């Protein structure tokens, strides 16, 4: 799952990014509101959620949030801020935020809120994503085929998660790379192909279908 984090404090930003990456997320970190606005305008569909600090330079988090909603951008937004006053929370939620978490917070609570918001935006009541006999749980990073647990690496799971977020939809190699790797991470030219090969070996070649010249999609087992 790829997230964008808008946080201007270097220590807090690095701590959040490192913690979420350790938990399996891909995190792109920006340190002012204008950078966040540009990133979301170029790659809005690649992000599952925006983690937004209110006290950003150049363009405040509140101003960015208002602009996003006015433009029709419906990305789930979780505000992360030290402002704990009732008026601040109400203003953030009324501006279009989906949730509000006051600093300092435990990483476990942040992860739980991220998954809850993504579930809600997808219209799911549980963490499990099912497609035929294939089922994954993004919270526990587990996958099952015909109720049998399948051992997947972190990258393999992330790849399967990306395909199952839009079951039946075809995702190109560049789109899959966007889901697997954040800014600044080196990507070998055949990295996605290697992970796809391993995934098809473990799940069955007929479950991950190659639409020649276009990309890949998951087929209901």
């Amino acid at each position: 799952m790829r997230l964008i984090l808008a946080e201007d404090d270097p220590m807090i930003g690095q701590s959040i990014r490192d913690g979420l990456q350790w938990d399996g997320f891909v995190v792109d970190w920006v340190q002012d509101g204008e950078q966040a606005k540009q990133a979301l305008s170029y790659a809005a569909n690649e992000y599952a959620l925006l983690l937004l600090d209110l006290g950003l330079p150049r363009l405040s988090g509140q101003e960015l949030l208002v602009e996003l909603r006015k433009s029709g951008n419906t990305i789930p937004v979780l505000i992360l801020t030290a402002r704990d006053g009732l008026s601040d929370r109400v203003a953030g939620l009324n501006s279009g935020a989906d949730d509000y978490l006051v600093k300092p917070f435990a990483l476990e609570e942040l992860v739980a809120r991220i998954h809850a918001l993504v579930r809600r935006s997808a219209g799911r009541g549980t963490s499990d994503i099912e497609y035929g006999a294939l089922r994954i749980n993004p919270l526990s990073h587990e996958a099952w085929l015909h109720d049998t647990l399948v051992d997947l690496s972190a990258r393999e799971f992330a790849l399967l998660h990306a395909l199952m977020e839009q079951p039946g939809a075809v995702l190109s190699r560049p789109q899959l790379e966007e889901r697997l790797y954040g800014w600044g991470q080196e990507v070998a030219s055949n990295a996605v192909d290697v992970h796809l090969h391993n995934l098809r070996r473990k799940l069955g070649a007929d479950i991950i279908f190659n639409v020649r010249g276009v990309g890949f999609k998951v087929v209901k087992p």
Side-chain angles (χ1 to χ4, degrees):
M1 189 186 302
R2 190 175 183 188
L3 314 175
I4 179 167
L5 168 64
E7 168 59 64
D8 65 315
D9 186 291
M11 290 184 64
I12 294 175
Q14 183 171 341
S15 176
I16 294 173
R17 183 188 61 183
D18 292 350
L20 291 176
Q21 286 180 337
W22 180 260
D23 211 73
F25 294 95
V26 175
V27 183
D28 292 336
W29 173 27
V30 296
Q31 294 181 271
D32 67 57
E34 285 293 343
Q35 288 179 333
K37 181 179 176 180
Q38 292 176 12
L40 287 165
S41 66
Y42 289 123
N45 294 329
E46 302 300 331
Y47 295 113
L49 184 136
L50 166 63
L51 299 171
L52 180 64
D53 176 44
L54 292 179
L56 296 173
R58 299 181 67 197
L59 182 68
S60 75
Q62 190 84 19
E63 292 169 333
L64 173 62
L65 181 55
V66 170
E67 287 193 24
L68 288 174
R69 295 315 190 214
K70 281 186 177 180
S71 69
N73 191 318
T74 60
I75 184 173
V77 176
L78 172 53
I79 289 177
L80 307 177
T81 182
R83 302 178 189 176
D84 60 354
L86 176 60
S87 60
D88 292 313
R89 297 198 301 272
V90 170
L93 294 169
N94 284 342
S95 296
D98 298 278
D99 200 358
Y100 196 106
L101 188 57
V102 176
K103 302 172 185 173
F105 49 79
L107 181 64
E108 293 83 357
E109 182 178 5
L110 175 59
V111 169
R113 286 176 182 261
I114 289 171
H115 283 291
L117 287 179
V118 172
R119 283 200 311 269
R120 189 187 309 164
S121 68
R124 299 194 309 270
T126 67
S127 294
D128 285 2
I129 303 175
E130 297 188 40
Y131 192 53
L134 190 57
R135 175 166 56 96
I136 66 171
N137 186 308
L139 197 56
S140 63
H141 298 273
E142 293 177 311
W144 298 265
L145 179 61
H146 298 291
D147 292 325
T148 299
L149 187 65
V150 182
D151 183 26
L152 300 178
S153 71
R155 295 291 191 200
E156 291 161 4
F157 183 87
L159 186 57
L160 181 59
H161 185 191
L163 291 168
M164 287 190 63
E165 281 181 325
Q166 304 176 64
V170 179
L171 297 182
S172 66
R173 279 184 178 83
Q175 286 176 313
L176 291 172
E177 287 179 357
E178 290 282 346
R179 303 293 183 90
L180 294 178
Y181 301 96
W183 297 339
Q185 290 183 298
E186 292 187 10
V187 185
S189 60
N190 66 336
V192 169
D193 291 309
V194 170
H195 297 313
L196 282 167
H197 171 78
N198 292 333
L199 200 54
R200 296 175 83 181
R201 177 174 53 82
K202 294 178 180 181
L203 297 176
D206 54 339
I207 292 180
I208 309 297
F209 185 72
N210 180 7
V211 181
R212 194 170 298 277
V214 182
F216 299 87
K217 67 178 182 178
V218 63
V219 177
K220 185 180 293 186

